[in-house]
Amino acid sequence: MPKLRATVHRGTPRAIALLARALQRGELVAVPTETVYGLAADALNPRACRSIFRAKGRPTNDPLIVHVHSLAQLDQLAIRNEAAAAVAKAFWPGPLTLVLPKRSCVPDIVTSGLDSVAIRMPAHPLLRKLLRACDRPLAAPSANAFGYISPTTAEHVLDGLGNRIRHILDGGPCRIGLESTILDLRDPKHPKILRPGAIERPELERVLGRRVSLVSRHLTSAKKAAIAPGMLTKHYSPRTPLELHAKLRVPRSTAPHADEAFVFLCPPSALRKTKAPAANVFVLSKTGTLDDAAHSLFATLRRLDRGKWTRIHAELARGQSALAIAINDRLTRAAAKR
Ligand code: TXA
Ligand code: MG
C-alpha cells in the first residue's frame, strides 16, 4: 500500500463537497459520529469497501455497519419490519444499529456473505451533511487499526490510520464515546442485543412491546460467532496490560505501584477530601456520571497506553444501566488475554 498522509478537514461546505466527491469515486473518508469515528466508503461499491478492510487490517469475516440518511435509503438496502420501523422512529438518528434481512444490492464484502445487513442512521450533524451530499449509503466500521481502541477524536484517527488513508473529517470529540447498540431484528418476535451501547434495554422493550434479550458478552463459541461475526472477545485493547476491579482502591501515595495507573469511572470517596490525587490516579468523570465516564474512556486508555505505565488498573461500572453494561463490555474485551 502506498504511504499516504491524511488531511484533516474541518466541516466547511467546501470540504463536505470535496469529501462527498471522494466517496463517490470510491475513496475512504474517516468521519465523525456521535459514538466513535468511522472509516467510511460507498457501501454499494465492493472495491471501495474492500479497501476499508485493507486499511484497518481487519479480517473480512467481520461485517460492516452501513450508515444511512433516511428510511428511504434503508429500504433500498434491507427489508424493514414493523419492529424496525418502531425503533427507528423512536431512536434514529442515534446510537442504535439494526440487523435486518438484506436486499441483493448490498455487496457480500459488506456483510461477510451473510443474508443480513447492519444499518444505522447516525446523529452527528457533519456526517448527516456528508451522507446527503454524496447520496450514497456509507459502510463504516470504527476508524481504528483492527483490534485497537476505537477512536473518539480526529487526532486518534490520524495517530492510527494517518498513513493509510487520505481524508479525515474533524467533527470534534464524539459525544457518546462508545459504539452503538446493535439490535438483531431479523426475527422481530425475538429481538436480541448483540452489542450493548448507550440505549437502555427497558426503553427498547417499551417501544417494541416485548422482551429484548442480551446475547452474552463473551461471544466466543462458534454458534455465537455465527450470530454476530466479528464480535471477538478480544477487542478495543491497549498494549499495556489491563486489570479490572469490581472495587478499586485508591493507591497510597507511598505505595510501590508508582508505575501502574489507576482508572476510576467516578470520583472515589477516598479522593473527595484530597485536593490533588497522586499522579497515577485518573478519574474519568469529574461530575460522577457514567455519560462523562463513557465519553472519555477510550481517549484515556489511549493516552495511558502511550505513557510509561507498566499496568493499567480500571474500575468496573456498578449497576445495570445501559452505559454500565456497555462500559463493562468494552473493558472486559480490552482486558481479555490475547
Ligand atoms: O457506533 C458504531 O456502531 C460505530 C460507528 C462508526 O457507527 N461502528 C462500529 O463498527 O462500531 P464496527 O465495525 O467496529 O463494529 C461493527 C460490528 C461487527 O463487528 C459485527 O459484530 C456487527 O457490527 N455486524 C455488522 N453486520 C452484522 C450482521 N449482518 N449481523 C450481525 N452483526 C453484524
Ligand atoms: Mg470496531
Side-chain angles (χ1 to χ4, degrees), residues 174-233:
C174 300
R175 180 167 55 80
I176 296 174
L178 294 178
E179 301 85 347
S180 61
T181 303
I182 302 181
L183 181 66
D184 181 356
L185 284 179
R186 287 172 307 161
D187 174 358
K189 293 208 167 66
H190 297 100
K192 298 181 196 72
I193 294 175
L194 303 182
R195 179 175 71 184
I199 306 256
E200 297 288 345
R201 174 148 65 137
E203 282 287 285
L204 287 169
E205 293 181 328
R206 189 179 54 73
V207 171
L208 291 170
R210 62 174 79 242
R211 231 186 85 73
V212 174
S213 60
L214 175 61
V215 175
S216 140
R217 84 166 77 111
H218 295 286
L219 295 161
T220 43
S221 75
K223 190 164 163 233
K224 285 172 187 162
I227 312 175
M231 293 285 245
L232 308 169
T233 299

Side-chain angles (χ1 to χ4, degrees), residues 18 71 74 87 109 240 261 271 276 288 290 301 303 337:
L18 178 142
L71 289 179
L74 174 143
V87 286
I109 183 74
T240 314
L271 272 190
L290 284 187
L301 288 179
R303 190 155 50 83
K337 300 278 180 301

Side-chain angles (χ1 to χ4, degrees), residues 56 58 142 144 150 179 235-236:
K56 277 182 62 98
R58 173 174 170 128
S142 50
N144 50 301
S150 294
E179 301 85 347
H235 216 77
Y236 317 99

Side-chain angles (χ1 to χ4, degrees), residues 17-231:
L18 178 142
L19 297 176
R21 283 195 302 276
L23 287 162
Q24 288 166 347
R25 281 196 302 272
E27 291 179 27
L28 302 183
V29 178
V31 295
T33 87
E34 72 278 33
T35 59
V36 299
Y37 274 72
L39 183 57
D42 177 353
L44 299 178
N45 177 338
R47 192 182 48 78
C49 292
R50 206 166 283 283
S51 64
I52 293 179
F53 290 89
R54 269 204 306 277
K56 277 182 62 98
R58 173 174 170 128
T60 52
N61 63 0
D62 189 356
L64 307 177
I65 293 175
V66 181
H67 299 70
V68 298
H69 62 56
S70 62
L71 289 179
Q73 215 172 30
L74 174 143
D75 289 339
Q76 288 167 7
L77 308 168
I79 297 158
R80 176 160 44 126
N81 47 40
E82 271 177 32
V87 286
K89 183 154 187 264
F91 299 103
W92 279 1
L96 178 68
T97 296
L98 304 180
V99 174
L100 292 169
K102 72 158 205 164
R103 295 192 191 277
S104 60
C105 64
V106 182
D108 277 343
I109 183 74
V110 171
T111 63
S112 307
L114 295 172
D115 50 14
S116 59
V117 60
I119 301 191
R120 155 164 129 79
M121 191 189 290
H124 195 291
L126 285 186
L127 177 53
R128 291 176 64 72
K129 277 188 191 161
L130 185 58
L131 277 163
R132 291 209 173 274
C134 73
D135 201 24
R136 302 271 209 286
L138 296 177
S142 50
N144 50 301
F146 180 68
Y148 198 59
I149 304 160
S150 294
T152 55
T153 65
E155 204 171 38
H156 295 161
V157 182
L158 193 62
D159 281 349
L161 300 178
N163 57 11
R164 304 197 208 168
I165 61 175
R166 257 181 232 286
H167 301 292
I168 301 173
L169 175 58
D170 188 351
C174 300
R175 180 167 55 80
I176 296 174
L178 294 178
E179 301 85 347
S180 61
T181 303
I182 302 181
L183 181 66
D184 181 356
L185 284 179
R186 287 172 307 161
D187 174 358
K189 293 208 167 66
H190 297 100
K192 298 181 196 72
I193 294 175
L194 303 182
R195 179 175 71 184
I199 306 256
E200 297 288 345
R201 174 148 65 137
E203 282 287 285
L204 287 169
E205 293 181 328
R206 189 179 54 73
V207 171
L208 291 170
R210 62 174 79 242
R211 231 186 85 73
V212 174
S213 60
L214 175 61
V215 175
S216 140
R217 84 166 77 111
H218 295 286
L219 295 161
T220 43
S221 75
K223 190 164 163 233
K224 285 172 187 162
I227 312 175
M231 293 285 245

